Amino acid sequence: MDLPPLTVLLAGPRGFCAGVDRAIKIVEEALAQHGRPVYVRHEIVHNRFVVERLESLGAVFVEELDEIPDDGQPVIFSAHGVPKSVPAAARARALTFLDATCPLVSKVHRETERHYARGLHILMIGHAGHPEVVGTMGQLPPGSVTLIEDAAAARAVEPVSQKLAYTTQTTLSVDDTAEIVAILRERFPDIEVPQKEDICYATTNRQAAVKAVAERAEFVVVVGAPNSSNSLRLREVAERGGAARAVLVQRGRDLDPSLADGCHTIGITAGASAPEVLVEEVIARLRERFSVTIEEVTVATEDVVFHLPAALRRRAAVG
């Protein structure tokens, strides 16, 4: 039986960014150098496939440091960053630790500290409870940062000081953040702005790519985890960008291919913590029901690479 034709637009860039790639390599290299187990505080990145693969290699994921025994094995902090209290607690226990915080998140941490040192109160645009937000706010004493989650909060906020700076989570919607920033700058004309955009290049590129796909697609599939901020934003951007419907799935088996029935063209993208093998699973799932033609839609080429921490590089060189 002939299968109905379906054109699949693959958004590019998609999937792993340099920060995610570095974080995963830190766990792999730590296992290679230190052996099993290597402990990881929180999910190294927000993707269960990645986490389960690393578990199979010997990584043990914990929520807090007090779950880690005193066995001399290292602990790794996730790509999202941690409050200053976490490395302080690790030092107090003489734990060996490796920091897999994305360098672009670390940039936000240092920028926030510089603003605070100059006597500014920080307005942080981000989502309450997200590990990156918790980590960034945890760089400073309590009360030094006010969280702004949306445009309504930006209109309503009454900061404790008029000497202000703003910073943002790196994985937000570019369009939503622009609206919030415009409100803050109108209300507080003297507010200090980031020296360079805080929303990372990977988030910006993936949202631009999914927009380019969504304007041509009737339906968009975003491959990513439900607790991944950048993946959730891709689904929202796809719907706003013109797709009649967009869904988030973790992998191929989670997709109901009948959702594409009646469609001529659909789009696929992947969040920054989703490996390409999961995109391939989704395509394979669609091929069970359709005769699929693939078209790449690329809006940017990425060549960013972040180096491993110096401690791992030194040991690898010696080995």
Side-chain angles (χ1 to χ4, degrees):
M1 183 177 66
D2 290 338
L3 298 176
L6 182 68
T7 298
V8 171
L9 307 177
L10 283 182
R14 63 182 177 274
F16 278 2
C17 63
V20 165
D21 190 56
R22 172 181 180 268
I24 293 168
K25 286 179 179 175
I26 287 173
V27 180
E28 293 171 341
E29 186 61 29
L31 284 164
Q33 294 186 20
H34 296 275
R36 297 168 175 247
V38 165
Y39 301 99
V40 185
R41 183 184 179 275
H42 293 176
E43 290 187 338
I44 187 69
V45 297
H46 283 155
N47 188 278
R48 285 305 307 167
F49 179 88
V50 171
V51 167
E52 289 169 3
R53 175 182 166 274
L54 293 174
E55 284 177 332
S56 73
L57 298 176
V60 175
F61 290 84
V62 300
E63 286 302 305
E64 299 300 342
L65 298 185
D66 58 15
E67 300 172 49
I68 299 174
D70 292 317
D71 59 3
Q73 290 296 95
V75 58
I76 298 169
F77 304 147
S78 81
H80 309 100
V82 295
K84 281 189 172 178
S85 59
V86 174
R91 291 187 191 99
R93 285 187 54 193
L95 295 174
T96 299
F97 64 86
L98 296 163
D99 189 356
T101 300
C102 173
L104 298 180
V105 174
S106 295
K107 176 189 79 72
V108 176
H109 290 182
R110 303 293 80 80
E111 189 172 59
T112 302
E113 289 177 318
R114 287 194 295 271
H115 289 319
Y116 176 74
R118 294 174 53 222
L120 304 180
H121 183 79
I122 291 90
L123 303 180
M124 180 168 190
I125 304 169
H127 300 296
H130 189 279
E132 184 184 330
V133 170
V134 173
T136 300
M137 294 180 72
Q139 302 304 303
L140 301 179
S144 305
V145 183
T146 299
L147 183 63
I148 307 294
E149 292 200 75
D150 53 30
R155 295 187 187 98
V157 65
E158 295 295 340
V160 297
S161 169
Q162 290 299 299
K163 295 176 65 178
L164 298 170
Y166 80 82
T167 189
T168 80
Q169 186 179 329
T170 63
T171 54
L172 299 176
S173 161
V174 173
D175 294 337
D176 288 349
T177 303
E179 179 187 10
I180 294 170
V181 167
I183 293 168
L184 293 177
R185 296 188 72 169
E186 180 179 0
R187 291 192 62 204
F188 311 108
D190 295 329
I191 193 169
E192 290 273 348
V193 305
Q195 292 182 353
K196 188 177 180 181
E197 181 62 61
D198 285 342
I199 295 178
C200 80
Y201 77 94
T203 297
T204 301
N205 288 345
R206 279 150 190 73
Q207 289 181 20
V210 83
K211 282 182 183 179
V213 163
E215 65 186 15
R216 295 175 54 193
E218 301 144 277
F219 173 53
V220 172
V221 179
V222 178
V223 182
N227 60 337
S228 164
S229 175
N230 74 85
S231 298
L232 292 169
R233 303 293 81 76
L234 287 174
R235 191 199 65 77
E236 294 169 358
V237 170
E239 287 192 338
R240 293 177 186 175
R245 184 175 185 181
V247 298
L248 178 69
V249 299
Q250 296 199 66
R251 55 190 310 175
R253 67 190 180 202
D254 301 324
L255 175 67
D256 177 1
S258 70
L259 292 173
D261 285 354
C263 295
H264 299 288
T265 304
I266 73 165
I268 298 177
T269 189
S273 50
E276 184 66 11
V277 64
L278 301 185
V279 173
E280 293 168 359
E281 283 188 4
V282 168
I283 295 171
R285 181 79 164 139
L286 290 167
R287 290 192 190 279
E288 296 172 5
R289 194 175 183 92
F290 303 96
S291 176
V292 173
T293 301
I294 302 293
E295 179 184 339
E296 293 271 357
V297 179
T298 302
V299 302
T301 301
E302 296 176 349
D303 56 5
V304 178
V305 176
F306 294 135
H307 296 299
L308 297 181
L312 287 179
R313 295 204 304 274
R314 283 195 300 268
R315 291 183 64 131
V318 171

